[in-house]
Amino acid sequence: MSQQCPHTAALTIDPMVADLAGETRTLCAGPALTKIELLGAPAWTVTRHNLARQLLTDTRLVKDHTQWNLWQSGAVTHEWPLIGMIDAGRSMFTVDGAEHRRLRIKTTRALAPRRLGALRPKIEQFTAELLDDLAQAGAGGEAVDLKQIFAYPLPMRVVSELMGVPRTDHTYLLESYKKFFSLLTPHDERMRVFVELDGYYTALIKEKTANPADDLTSDFLHDVAEGETPLTEEEVHGNLKALVAAGHETTVSLIIMTTRALLGHPEQLAAIRAGERTWEEAIEETLRWDGPVIHLLMRFATEDITVDDLTIEKGDGVVISYRAIGRDRGLHGDDADTFDLTRPTANRNISFGYGPHICPGAALARLEAAIALPALFDRFPNLRADIPLGEHGNLPVLTQNDPAAFPVRLGI
């Protein structure tokens, strides 16, 4: 592993995502464990596959933000723009150990293969409906935004079906999460959105308490197996808020980035259409090469952790830089920056995490992409990007690989 002098200046991570490719190259060229700065807050980031696997299963790194030395000292407060991604309330995403397993078990059951199989017809229905909307919008030959019309609403419809969220609320939730994640949103407005979302989920819990249905929210509230401790209202609330956010943001990016990668590599798209390669290979290679998550915030050291000649000190924050990890030449070879469906290590990506906190919705995201992508290219075989593929800028979302738009011509 490359070494870093402890006194080396920290790399500043750009919250505006102005040069994602350049930042990724810098991280990949540096050591596996690198000092960074996030909006004035120093931390460590992990940029290599094997070290990430090691640290993501290290019980000395926890999700509890009260262990953070910057929080304890008051250097970071609720005024810090990224605090909502760290202090997000009690849920399966913010606790560890036995409590994490208790809070996660119902989600794991709900997203088991049988439940996902039952959800498939709904995903196919939503996909067909949105492709109709796309065809209508592009019927005159003009450019249409594939993200806004297709990739953006599809995952929200799916996760809402799973959680029991009314379709009438989709626009509100999409816009609310967009404001919450954007670093262009003024801090006061972001906190207002946070409070409003709290109120929304409180009302949804009240409704599902009184009128349970066949959805995950009702299961959280009412489905208590023998020997299980029921979830508190705070825990249900935290799980709901985080699952709806995570359940749509990553899939939007996965659909768009896989589409973009294939349009930029027409010979590989042709191989899929000829049956020589698979959609699953395209999804896994995209997850590795240009996946949904850029940086994942944050874990905190409960004691000193030694990595070669470096020490993550007790109280330090640790970020996992998944995009850099996907370009790890030590695992994927010197051509790690190349999109290649034949890559033997593509399915070894950890883009949905690793260890106890691996994303519970990973199988659902893969299923949605595996339904949406072939349907899209079957419906519009002459689909093409409307602007050069290298000119699609990202929204100012430090954690998510989130393109602002993806204009295309349908070729109909």
Side-chain angles (χ1 to χ4, degrees):
M1 182 188 304
S2 299
Q3 305 299 327
Q4 180 192 40
C5 172
H7 301 293
T8 299
L11 170 68
T12 299
I13 299 299
D14 179 13
M16 297 294 109
V17 200
D19 182 13
L20 179 57
E23 180 179 281
T24 302
R25 285 193 298 271
T26 300
L27 288 171
C28 288
L33 186 65
T34 300
K35 283 277 187 75
I36 60 170
E37 183 176 294
L38 292 171
L39 295 176
W44 295 95
T45 196
V46 182
T47 65
R48 299 294 192 277
H49 183 97
N50 287 339
L51 182 59
R53 284 167 58 105
Q54 173 188 327
L55 293 178
L56 287 169
T57 54
D58 192 320
T59 57
R60 295 171 295 178
L61 285 172
V62 301
K63 288 297 200 80
D64 180 4
H65 76 283
T66 66
Q67 301 297 313
W68 194 8
N69 50 21
L70 297 182
W71 180 263
Q72 293 172 351
S73 70
V76 167
T77 69
H78 279 113
E79 297 301 308
W80 190 55
L82 300 174
I83 196 63
M85 300 179 191
I86 295 171
D87 181 16
R90 183 176 173 79
S91 76
M92 74 180 87
F93 297 95
T94 58
V95 299
D96 297 279
E99 281 299 277
H100 170 254
R101 291 189 291 274
R102 182 179 74 83
L103 294 180
R104 184 185 173 103
I105 187 65
K106 288 183 173 62
T107 304
T108 302
R109 288 202 297 259
L111 296 175
R114 186 174 70 173
R115 184 79 173 255
L116 290 184
L119 196 56
R120 175 182 280 273
K122 278 291 185 181
I123 301 174
E124 292 171 342
Q125 173 193 330
F126 298 151
T127 297
E129 292 171 353
L130 291 168
L131 289 176
D132 286 344
D133 293 345
L134 196 63
Q136 182 176 358
E142 61 269 37
V144 292
D145 186 354
L146 184 67
K147 177 184 178 182
Q148 188 65 33
I149 300 174
F150 180 64
Y152 196 42
L154 176 60
M156 180 58 79
R157 289 192 187 184
V158 174
V159 75
S160 295
E161 178 74 15
L162 181 68
M163 307 301 295
V165 172
R167 185 177 290 196
T168 52
D169 297 340
H170 289 185
T171 299
Y172 164 73
L173 289 172
L174 285 167
E175 289 302 311
S176 294
Y177 280 110
K178 182 177 179 180
K179 290 177 183 177
F180 176 74
F181 284 114
S182 174
L183 287 173
L184 291 180
T185 303
H187 182 72
D188 289 348
E189 184 177 357
R190 184 182 295 108
M191 290 300 99
R192 177 183 59 76
V193 169
F194 192 81
V195 171
E196 288 181 355
L197 283 170
D198 277 349
Y200 175 84
Y201 289 114
T202 297
L204 181 63
I205 290 169
K206 182 177 181 181
E207 166 62 24
K208 296 297 181 180
T209 300
N211 302 293
D214 183 20
D215 56 57
L216 185 51
T217 304
S218 299
D219 287 352
F220 281 155
L221 292 164
H222 301 285
D223 180 20
V224 182
E226 184 176 352
E228 281 187 357
T229 303
L231 301 187
T232 66
E233 183 172 321
E234 178 191 7
E235 291 166 344
V236 174
H237 189 286
N239 276 359
L240 264 177
K241 185 165 62 175
L243 276 170
V244 173
H248 82 275
E249 284 286 342
T250 53
T251 312
V252 173
S253 174
L254 180 56
I255 292 170
I256 289 297
M257 295 310 180
T258 308
T259 302
R260 186 167 78 174
L262 291 173
L263 291 179
H265 299 83
E267 74 291 347
Q268 299 192 53
L269 176 58
I272 294 175
R273 287 173 164 165
E276 298 166 3
R277 310 310 310 181
T278 68
W279 289 105
E280 287 71 23
E281 288 172 323
I283 291 166
E284 294 307 314
E285 177 65 349
T286 300
L287 285 169
R288 178 202 72 81
W289 183 67
D290 201 14
V293 178
I294 302 173
H295 308 288
L296 190 65
L297 281 54
M298 188 182 288
R299 285 170 168 77
F300 308 98
T302 57
E303 58 183 90
D304 288 358
I305 301 172
T306 300
V307 177
D308 288 350
D309 65 347
L310 300 177
T311 299
I312 301 171
E313 295 183 354
K314 179 180 178 180
D316 283 355
V318 178
V319 173
I320 310 297
S321 289
Y322 281 105
R323 194 169 194 272
I325 288 166
R327 307 293 183 97
D328 183 354
R329 285 172 167 75
L331 175 64
H332 299 295
D334 290 341
D335 66 343
D337 288 333
T338 301
F339 182 81
D340 180 5
L341 297 188
T342 69
R343 187 180 304 280
T345 59
N347 63 1
R348 292 177 60 189
N349 73 78
I350 56 170
S351 296
F352 284 112
Y354 185 77
H357 280 280
I358 189 171
C359 176
L364 177 58
R366 286 182 166 102
L367 176 62
E368 290 179 58
I371 291 172
L373 290 163
L376 171 67
F377 282 96
D378 285 348
R379 182 74 176 269
F380 307 111
N382 298 315
L383 184 75
R384 67 184 190 278
D386 188 55
I387 63 176
L389 291 172
E391 296 180 8
H392 296 88
N394 273 29
L395 291 173
V397 180
L398 182 144
T399 54
Q400 299 295 126
N401 191 5
D402 193 1
F406 191 64
V408 295
R409 304 270 177 174
L410 303 180
I412 56 175

